[in-house]
Amino acid sequence: MSWLRNPWGRPRWLALITGVYVLWAIVPVLLAIAFAFNAGRSRTTWQGFSFRWFTGETGSVLHDPALRDALEHTLLLAVICVAIAVPLGVALALGLQRWRGRGSGSVNSLMLLPLVTPEIVMGVALLLLFLRIFPSIGLGTEAQAIGQVTFSLSYVVVIVRGRLVSIGPEYEEAAADLGAPPRDQLSRVLLPLLAPAIVASAAVAFAISLDDFVVTQYLSSDASTTTVSMLLYSNARGAPTPGLNAIATVGLAFTLATLTAAFLVYRRFAGGQEATSLATLEV
Amino acid sequence: MGGSRWTWRLLALPGVVWLSLFFLVAFYAVVAVAFGNQDTLSQPVPFWNPLDWNVGYVWATLKNVWHGGPFLTVSLRTIEFVAIAVLLSLVIGYPVAYFTARHAGRWKGVVLLALILPLWINYLMRMLAWINLLAPDGIGTDVLHAVGIEKLFISLGLLDQAGGWLSGQSTTVILALVYGYIPFFILPLFVAIDRIDQRQIEAARDLGASPLSAFLRVTLPLSVPGILAGAVLISLPMFGDYYTADLVSASTRTNMIGNQIDEFMRQGSEKVTGAALTLLLSAFLLILMFYYLRTTRQAGTSAQTT
Amino acid sequence: MEHPKESGISRRELLRRSAGAAAGLSVAGVLTGCENTTTPIGAETAAGATSGAAAELVVPKPLGPAGLPLPRPDNSVTWAITDENKPIADGVQPEAGPLRIFNYADYIDPTTVKKFQKQFNTKVQIATYNSADEAVAKLASRAVEFDLIMGLSGSNIVNLIAQKLLKPLNHSYLPNLEKNIWPELADPFYDRGAHYTVPYVVWMDGIGWRNDKVAQDVAAMDVPWDIFWEAQAYRGKVGILDDRRDALSMPMQRSAMHKGVRPDLNTEDAALIQQAQRDLSELGAICNPKVTITDYQTLPEGKTVLHHSWSGDLLGAAFYYMPKGVPPTVLSFWGPESNGVVQNDFFCMGRTSKSPALAHEFINFFLDEKNAYNNFVNYTGYTPPQKNIDADALIKAGAIPKSLQQAVVRPDQFAANQELLQLSVKGQRLWDDAWSKFKAG
C-alpha cells in the first residue's frame, strides 16, 4: 500500500470513511425531505410526486391550522429572538472586549455558561423562574422568547467578538487622531466594520431559534404556543402524515436560506479568510 | 481608545443584567425550589432564604441514589449510554476530522460544508428521518436486514428481534445519540488537528519515525485537547437529553436521567424532586467540567514537551 | 480569534468561586439546622374530623388538601354553596361572549362547536392542556381564567373545591341534564346535587387489540389482563397507558380477578401498590411495552397490536384514524364488567367566569341528544352518558363494528366498576414512587 510510504499522500480508506460518514449524516434527511413530496399518506412507501402536503386542501402546511399556526409561531419567536439578542449581544461583545480591569473574567464566564449548560437544566430553571418569580409573565410566547434570547446571546457575543479581535483598534485610533468624538468612532467606524459579523450573528440567532426545542417546550402554555420542533416531537411517534415531513422541510428551508444569505453577506464584506473561520465556528 | 472605561461597561450592562436575571436568578430558582417544599397540589414552594432551606427532598434524592434506588439505575444507565456514545463518536469522528484536516486538499471547503450542514438541520428532523427509516416497514430496516447487520446485532444481543429497532432498544438509543451529536464533536476535533503544526510531524519523520509512529507519538497526543474539548462539548448536553430516547424508544428500559427530570417537571409530578435531580445533575456536570479543565492543562503541557 | 473553549482561566475562576459558594451555602444550611421534611405544606390540617374521646371509635378516612373529605362511592360528599359564591339568577340572557373553554386537545367536535357559535351568535375559544394536574395547577395559579373547564373528573374535584376555583351551577338552565343523562351521574357521589359539575363523557380502561394480528381470543380468557404477561410473541408491539393511576391499577385488577375479590383501586396500602409496580415491571422482560397514549394512532397503523387503552380511543380510532384499506373491524376492545376502572369527565364553570349564562347554554347544548351523539360519533369516540345511546343501536346503524361493542360504556358497567379518585397526600406519594420506580426501568 503506497500510502504507508508517503504520509502526505491521500490514504483512500480515510476518504472512504469520510464519504460514508457524510452520506450517513445527510441521506436520511434527504429521504425525509423526499417523502414530504409523497402523493400518498405513507412515510415509508413512495406513492408518486405531489405538492399536496405543502399546498393541498387538507393536512398541508398551508391549510392545516395546526401546521400553519406552528410555523407562524416559530417564525414569530425567531424574529423576536433576533430583534432582542443581536443588539444586546453586540453591546455585550463590545463592552466585554474593551473591558479592562476587574469583573471582566466573571462576565466572560457568565456569558459562556449558557453554551455549556444542558438544555433541560435551562428549561427547568426558566420554567421555575416564570412560575414562581415572574408569574406575571408566566408561560407563553413572552417566556419562550426570553428563554431563546438567553442562550442565543452567547452565540452572538462569540461571533461579534471574533470579528472585533480581527479588526483591531487601528481604525478607531485613526478616527480619534482625526478628531472624531467617541460616539462617532463607534457609530461611523466600528459598527460598519462589524456589520458582516452582526449580520452573521443575526442569522445564527435566527437559525438557533428556529430549531430550538427543549426551552421552547418547557415554556409553552397551550396549543397556541406550539412551534415546529414541538410539533415534530409530539407527532413523530404517533402516525403522522407526510405533512410532518413537509413542515420540517419548510423549517429547514428557512434555516438554510437565512444562513446562506448571511454567509454570502459576510464573505462579500469581510474577505474570504474570516468566512472560513466563521464556518468552522463550533456552535 | 476614546471614552472612559465606563462607556464599555455601560454597553455591556444590559447584556449582563439579562444574563444575571434569566440565567443566574433562574438557576437560583432551581436551588430554592430543590431546597423548598410543595403544596398539596404538588406545586413547588421555593424557600428563598438559605437559612430556611429544607433539605428533605434533596436528601431523599441522594439517599435514593446511594441506596441503589431507581435514580441510581437511571443514572448508571445514562452514564453508560453517554460513555458509549462518546466513544463511538470518537471512533467514527476522528478519521473524518483527520482526513478533512490533513488530506482533503482542495476538497477541504466542500467537505467542511458537508460536515457543518447537519449542525443546522433541526435535531428533531434528523431523528424523525431515522424513525421513518427504522419503522418495521421502513427502508432502513430493509437495508439493514439485507446487508446482514440485523442478524449480526441480534446474535450479539444488541437487538431483540428482527425489525424491532424502535421497540425500546438501548442500541438504537445510543446510535441515535451518536447520530445526533457527532457533528458537534467532529468540528472541534477538526480545528484541533488542523492547528497541529505540520513541521512537528516533519521533524518526527526526519528523526526516523515511521508514519504510524509519527501519528501515534506526535499527532495523536497533540490532538488530545481537541478530543477532550469535543468529548465535553457533546457529553454535557447528552447527559440532559431526554427527547432522543423518547423518540426512538419510549420504553422504560432506556429512560435516561433527563427523562426522569422531564417526568417530574412536565408530567405533573413532583416538581421539587425534579428540581433536586436537576441540581444533582448540574453538580455532577460541574465536576466533569472541572476534571476536563485539569486534564486539558496537563495534556497541553505534556504534548508540547514531547 | 480566541476560541471560547480555550479561555480556561476564567472558567477555572468560575469553578473555584462556585465551589466556594456552594460550600458556603451548605455550611450555612447545616449550621442553622435546616428543615428536613418531605411532607407538603398544608397536608396535615384536618378539618371536620371527629375530635375528642370519640375520635378513637372511628377508623379515620384519608383526608385531602385543606382537610377536605375525599369522596368515595360509600362516602358521598355534598359541596356547599356559600353566600360569597352563589350561582347566577334564573332567566339571565346569554352574554355576547367570547366563551373561553379549557379542555384537553382534540376532545370536542369542532363542527358541533361551530353549530353552537352559529346558534348563539358568539365565538368559542378553546385553550388546551396536556394533563389534569397541569390544568389544576394552571387554574390554581390564577394566571388564567376560563368560563368553562372540561375534561377533569372526580379525581380532581377536591383540589378544585379546595382552591376555590368553581362557580356553582343553576339547573334551571340545564333541562337536558335530567332529561337525557344517566340518573346516577346526574347526581354523582363526588358532587351530590350536581352543584358544581355536570358529566361530559364516560370511559373505561380496557384492552385494545388488533384481532387480525393477535392470535389469542383475549375476551374469552378467564382473566384477559393476563394477555400482557403472555405477550412474548408481540414483543415490542405492546403498549401500556402513560398514566400512573391507570397503569398501576391494571395489575391490581389482574391479581384481584385471579383471587376473585374486588380490588380497591384507590388503595393507600403500600404493599399492594408496590406489588402492582413489581408486576408491571415484569412486563419489561416479557414484552418490552411502550408507555404511551397514542394507541388511537398506533393500533390502526399496526405499530402496536396490543394496548392497555381508554375505551374512547378505540372508537376514535375506528371513526377517524384507520388508514386506507384497513377496515375498523380489525380493532377489538374488552373492558371488565366489574372491578375495573371507569371515569366520568365533567363540565364545570370557572369562578371568575364572565359569561356564566352563555356557559350554561353551552353545557345544555352538549347535553342535547343529537349534539352529544354527533360529538361522539363524528369526532371524539368517547361515550356521552346519554340514556338513548346504546351499543346495539350503534352496531345496527353500522356506526361501530361488533368487535368494539364493549367500548361503549353501559350504565350498569359504570356502576359495577370504580372511578379513580383523589388520594390523600401520603397515598398519592406511594403511587408516585411506584410509578417512578416503574419508569426507571
Side-chain angles (χ1 to χ4, degrees), chain A residues 105-209:
Chain A
S106 314
V107 175
N108 195 42
S109 310
L110 179 61
M111 184 271 299
L112 290 175
L113 270 182
L115 288 175
V116 292
T117 312
E119 282 209 79
I120 192 168
V121 173
M122 280 211 74
V124 169
L126 287 167
L127 176 71
L128 293 175
L129 183 79
F130 287 112
L131 280 183
R132 285 284 167 263
I133 304 187
F134 297 123
S136 47
I137 304 182
L139 303 179
T141 312
E142 296 91 356
Q144 287 174 318
I146 293 175
Q148 289 186 349
V149 169
T150 309
F151 59 75
S152 302
L153 207 52
S154 312
Y155 291 95
V156 173
V157 172
V158 165
I159 294 175
V160 172
R161 267 185 95 176
R163 178 80 179 133
L164 265 177
V165 166
S166 60
I167 291 177
E170 302 92 34
Y171 296 96
E172 292 157 88
E173 282 168 10
D177 287 343
L178 291 170
R183 195 180 315 139
D184 273 4
Q185 289 169 39
L186 191 62
S187 61
R188 298 183 65 182
V189 176
L190 196 51
L191 283 183
L193 279 174
L194 275 181
I198 297 181
V199 169
S201 66
V204 166
F206 192 81
I208 289 178
S209 162

Side-chain angles (χ1 to χ4, degrees), chain C residues 306-368:
Chain C
L306 179 66
H307 216 291
H308 180 208
S309 297
W310 290 313
S311 57
D313 280 352
L314 266 291
L315 287 175
F319 293 150
Y320 202 71
Y321 287 94
M322 303 308 296
K324 219 187 282 219
V326 182
T329 45
V330 303
L331 295 175
S332 291
F333 181 82
W334 170 84
E337 288 295 311
S338 61
N339 299 333
V341 174
V342 283
Q343 195 69 299
N344 152 40
D345 289 346
F346 52 59
F347 289 99
C348 53
M349 211 160 45
R351 188 175 174 132
T352 50
S353 166
K354 294 209 176 63
S355 319
L358 187 62
H360 278 94
E361 293 296 342
F362 189 88
I363 298 177
N364 198 45
F365 186 83
F366 274 86
L367 292 178
D368 168 75

Side-chain angles (χ1 to χ4, degrees), chain C residues 17 127 157 173 257 260 290 366 392 398 426 438:
Chain C
R17 285 176 206 178
I157 182 87
Y173 294 90
M257 264 179 114
K290 295 181 183 289
F366 274 86
D392 292 323
K426 253 184 37 200
F438 168 67

Side-chain angles (χ1 to χ4, degrees), chain A residues 4 7-9 18 24-25 43 91 95 100 118 132 150 172 185 211 214 217-218 229 233 237 245 259 279 283, chain B residues 1 8-9 11 18 23 30 44 46 99 103 116 120 122 124 132 179 184 198 205 211 242-243 246 262 285:
Chain A
L4 267 176
W8 287 279
T18 310
W24 177 61
R43 274 153 46 246
R100 298 275 174 267
R132 285 284 167 263
T150 309
E172 292 157 88
Q185 289 169 39
D211 293 340
V214 177
Q217 182 184 48
Y218 265 73
S229 301
Y233 179 75
R237 278 178 302 139
N245 296 42
L259 286 174
V283 285
Chain B
M1 175 64 239
W8 299 115
R9 296 190 190 199
L11 259 185
W18 184 285
F23 191 79
V30 179
F99 172 81
H103 297 289
I116 293 172
W120 298 113
N122 192 327
L124 292 167
N132 287 351
Y179 187 79
F184 298 88
Q198 184 91 327
R205 295 297 321 264
Y242 66 93
Y243 34 93
D246 227 0
D262 187 51
L285 294 179

Side-chain angles (χ1 to χ4, degrees), chain A residues 209-227:
Chain A
S209 162
L210 276 182
D211 293 340
D212 180 57
F213 171 63
V214 177
V215 171
T216 317
Q217 182 184 48
Y218 265 73
L219 298 177
S220 77
S221 55
D222 64 26
S224 67
T225 51
T226 313
T227 61

Side-chain angles (χ1 to χ4, degrees), chain B residues 224-226 228-229 289 291-302:
Chain B
V224 162
L228 286 178
M289 273 218 326
Y291 181 71
Y292 152 69
L293 283 174
R294 282 190 55 198
T295 38
T296 31
R297 308 214 125 219
Q298 289 170 1
T301 40
S302 71

Side-chain angles (χ1 to χ4, degrees), chain C residues 26-352:
Chain C
S26 52
V27 164
V30 164
L31 282 183
T32 52
C34 39
E35 251 188 290
N36 184 346
T37 173
T38 55
T39 311
I41 301 169
E44 302 96 1
T45 49
T50 335
S51 56
E56 58 185 43
L57 297 174
V58 180
V59 175
K61 291 208 155 73
L63 292 174
L68 291 173
L70 295 173
R72 294 283 185 270
D74 59 347
N75 184 23
S76 63
V77 176
T78 315
W79 302 112
I81 300 182
T82 57
D83 283 335
E84 61 204 17
N85 189 18
K86 284 188 130 51
I88 57 174
D90 293 355
V92 176
Q93 282 302 309
E95 299 84 357
L99 191 64
R100 296 159 310 161
I101 302 184
F102 203 26
N103 193 6
Y104 277 106
D106 299 331
Y107 208 39
I108 192 168
D109 178 24
T111 320
T112 319
V113 172
K114 277 207 187 84
K115 206 170 136 205
F116 174 82
Q117 289 181 149
K118 224 161 154 209
Q119 182 173 334
F120 286 86
N121 195 18
T122 179
K123 283 223 116 37
V124 174
Q125 294 168 349
I126 303 184
T128 60
Y129 56 85
N130 291 316
S131 77
D133 289 330
E134 177 197 332
V136 178
K138 276 225 177 85
L139 292 167
S141 71
R142 304 278 190 304
V144 288
E145 283 183 354
F146 293 99
D147 299 302
L148 265 186
I149 302 140
M150 297 171 61
L152 299 178
S153 65
S155 55
N156 313 109
I157 182 87
V158 185
N159 275 332
L160 291 170
I161 299 282
Q163 298 284 326
K164 300 200 171 65
L165 296 172
L166 302 183
K167 193 180 181 66
L169 301 169
N170 180 335
H171 288 212
S172 70
Y173 294 90
L174 308 172
N176 285 332
L177 179 61
E178 216 183 297
K179 213 169 71 163
N180 296 336
I181 300 295
W182 301 349
E184 57 268 48
L185 283 184
D187 183 14
F189 62 85
Y190 54 78
D191 180 19
R192 295 310 307 258
H195 289 168
Y196 288 91
T197 67
V198 165
Y200 173 49
V201 292
V202 293
W203 46 268
M204 65 188 317
D205 279 2
I207 307 177
W209 75 94
R210 289 288 298 258
N211 50 44
D212 57 334
K213 305 221 169 166
V214 174
Q216 291 97 320
D217 183 2
V218 178
M221 293 169 73
D222 277 341
V223 180
W225 297 114
D226 280 338
I227 183 74
F228 288 101
W229 281 262
E230 297 167 11
Q232 289 87 344
Y234 314 111
R235 202 182 161 81
K237 294 195 172 185
V238 179
I240 298 286
L241 281 173
D242 189 5
D243 185 300
R244 69 202 61 217
R245 295 295 304 279
D246 294 272
L248 284 170
S249 71
M250 195 260 278
M252 286 182 189
Q253 294 174 49
R254 171 180 173 245
S255 49
M257 264 179 114
H258 275 292
K259 297 197 190 113
V261 298
R262 182 180 172 82
D264 177 11
L265 300 177
N266 295 305
T267 182
E268 304 199 1
D269 180 337
L272 284 176
I273 300 171
Q274 280 155 18
Q275 182 58 44
Q277 177 262 310
R278 281 195 289 273
D279 290 341
L280 207 57
S281 294
E282 281 175 3
L283 291 180
I286 297 176
C287 58
N288 201 2
K290 295 181 183 289
V291 185
T292 73
I293 58 170
T294 50
D295 51 340
Y296 57 97
Q297 289 176 332
T298 54
L299 277 174
E301 294 243 330
K303 286 204 178 128
T304 51
V305 300
L306 179 66
H307 216 291
H308 180 208
S309 297
W310 290 313
S311 57
D313 280 352
L314 266 291
L315 287 175
F319 293 150
Y320 202 71
Y321 287 94
M322 303 308 296
K324 219 187 282 219
V326 182
T329 45
V330 303
L331 295 175
S332 291
F333 181 82
W334 170 84
E337 288 295 311
S338 61
N339 299 333
V341 174
V342 283
Q343 195 69 299
N344 152 40
D345 289 346
F346 52 59
F347 289 99
C348 53
M349 211 160 45
R351 188 175 174 132
T352 50

